[in-house]
């Protein structure tokens, strides 16, 4: 399955090297980076390109900004700052880079620049061909090292790979594919998957095929809320995707008993660190409640299921663990995964932040930088960013 070119096989000396990394790091409300794992994971690829004499430009998306305009909240500026601290050198951030210009003309072997959030460019998410062709013109070698975005066919993850003179996989992308492929080739059963987090719609759609592959599918966060809405009809003001209730019902009906839902939750009247937590049975959730964590009974049930697992796959927190009052569920989950004898794989930006916050990293079998891409890999899907590298290799 790894029929693509890898960075060590490509000549980089004196070449313009365009690296697509995933520097989509979690940030607090003031924009401070709360976990820099993805930035650190991208450094080996960047350092290798520099030391081999490449003139290096790196880009990434951050968040999900509206295309066609700059907005400071989604700027890569904090990432440029963190990267320059980690590398011990200045990392200039270039805005409006698609058409090249002075910055490109000035780029020399050994230079490194960061290209502003690629999702500010109109056409990025739609994998627009004209945009991808322009981007491809900036470089001699395109390197995709963004495993965490490999499930997206966008201009910087897919289109550019079709048109760049050379297209190859960076060391992080290659290592993640190798490690996950090995770990999931013959997983020890029961295979327990935990899928949580706030990105409801893009994850809910993968759950159907995931449910078929695993023995237990534990849901949390906004995803669980959508299932609770499907099962009980009321979740108050909680984050959910009402449009996907039909999908959630279909999954519950197709896999009876495989998708246990929380029986109790912790609610608040607002989404805030200072909100007062109130434990409740799911039947008692009121119209103005917001579910922000799972309750004590659900924690016990979750612990029992994780304790009997042969393999654990975890993506997404199950409560708003960033707020102390609503962190108990995710903390218990992190500890249960860490202390289980099962082989555990965990991935995703917020998941890594939770793993680090609860200090269990050294007791997780494998930690992937990817969340959504990791789930789609597990689902057995071809990741478009990988597929296009394979096409280029043929
Ligand atoms: C992630 O955080 O899962 C990746 O960076 C992809 O981000 P996206 O879901 O906004 O495409
Ligand atoms: Mg994310």
């Amino acid at each position: 399955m790894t029929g693509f070119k890898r960075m060590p096989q490509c000549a980089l000396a004196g070449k313009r090297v365009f690296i697509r990394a995933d520097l989509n790091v979690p940030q607090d409300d003031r924009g401070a980076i709360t976990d820099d794992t993805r930035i650190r994971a991208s450094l080996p690829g960047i350092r290798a390109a520099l030391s081999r004499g490449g003139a290096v430009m790196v880009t990434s998306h951050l968040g999900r900004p509206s295309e066609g305009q700059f907005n400071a909240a989604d700027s890569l500026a904090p990432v440029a700052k963190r990267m320059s601290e980690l590398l011990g050198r200045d990392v200039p951030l270039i805005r409006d880079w698609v058409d090249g210009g002075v910055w490109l003309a000035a780029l020399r072997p050994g230079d490194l620049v960061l290209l502003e959030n690629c999702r500010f460019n109109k056409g990025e998410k739609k994998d627009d061909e004209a945009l991808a062709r322009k981007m491809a013109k900036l470089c001699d070698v395109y390197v995709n090292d963004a495993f965490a975005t490999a499930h997206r066919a966008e201009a910087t993850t897919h289109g550019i790979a079709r048109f760049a003179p050379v297209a190859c996989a960076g060391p992080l992308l290659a290592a993640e594919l190798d490690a996950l492929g090995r770990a999931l080739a013959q997983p020890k059963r029961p295979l327990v998957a935990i899928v949580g987090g706030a990105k409801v719609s893009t994850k809910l759609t993968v759950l159907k095929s995931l449910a078929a592959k695993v023995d237990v599918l534990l849901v949390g966060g906004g995803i669980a809320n959508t299932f609770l809405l499907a099962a009980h009809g009321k979740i108050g003001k909680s984050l959910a995707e009402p449009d996907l209730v039909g999908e959630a019902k279909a999954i519950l009906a197709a896999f009876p008993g495989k998708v246990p839902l929380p029986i109790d939750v912790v609610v608040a009247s607002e989404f805030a660190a200072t909100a007062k937590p109130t434990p409740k049975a799911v039947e008692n959730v009121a119209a103005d409640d917001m579910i922000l964590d799972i309750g004590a009974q659900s924690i016990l049930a979750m612990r029992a299921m994780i304790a009997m697992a042969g393999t654990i796959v975890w993506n997404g927190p199950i409560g708003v663990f960033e707020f102390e009052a609503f962190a108990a569920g995710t903390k218990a989950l992190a500890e249960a995964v860490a202390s289980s004898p099962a082989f555990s794989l965990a991935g995703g930006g917020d998941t890594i932040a939770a793993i680090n916050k609860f200090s269990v990293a050294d007791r997780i079998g494998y930690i992937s930088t990817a969340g959504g891409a990791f789930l789609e890999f597990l689902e057995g899907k071809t990741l478009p960013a990988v597929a296009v590298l394979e096409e280029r290799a043929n």
Side-chain angles (χ1 to χ4, degrees), residues 180-332:
L180 289 176
R182 241 181 289 120
L184 293 169
Q186 226 103 55
K188 194 170 167 225
R189 301 276 170 171
L191 174 55
V192 176
I194 304 117
V195 182
K199 285 182 187 174
V200 185
S201 52
T202 50
K203 282 185 192 171
L204 211 120
T205 48
V206 311
L207 289 190
K208 202 169 189 170
S209 36
L210 203 57
K213 294 232 149 65
V214 304
D215 300 298
V216 178
L217 178 59
L218 283 170
V219 288
I223 293 170
N225 295 342
T226 305
F227 277 93
L228 287 173
L229 186 58
H232 300 282
K234 47 178 206 169
I235 52 165
K237 300 183 295 184
S238 309
L239 170 78
E241 201 92 14
D243 291 353
L244 293 171
V245 161
E247 185 86 9
K249 279 191 174 150
I251 294 172
L252 291 173
F255 304 98
K258 232 191 212 188
V259 190
L261 300 182
I263 41 190
D264 59 346
V265 290
V266 180
V267 304
S269 55
E270 54 170 345
F271 185 89
T274 51
K276 181 175 165 283
T278 308
K280 276 194 179 178
V282 286
E283 309 82 62
N284 300 334
V285 173
D288 58 350
D289 283 339
M290 217 177 242
I291 300 171
L292 299 184
D293 198 6
I294 59 170
Q297 298 298 318
S298 307
I299 289 179
L300 288 177
M302 175 184 79
R303 270 205 194 116
M305 281 177 281
I306 289 174
M308 55 134 223
T311 308
I312 301 165
V313 173
W314 172 27
N315 167 250
I318 53 170
V320 187
F321 73 94
E322 295 88 345
F323 300 159
E324 264 341 290
F326 307 98
T330 304
K331 182 168 191 231

Side-chain angles (χ1 to χ4, degrees), residues 22 24 38 61 63-64 119 125 148-149 151-152 154 199 202 348-349 370-373:
D22 187 319
N24 184 28
R38 282 179 171 170
H61 71 287
R64 295 174 171 177
R119 285 188 184 162
K125 299 247 327 157
T149 326
H151 57 322
R152 308 274 181 231
E154 299 181 358
K199 285 182 187 174
T202 50

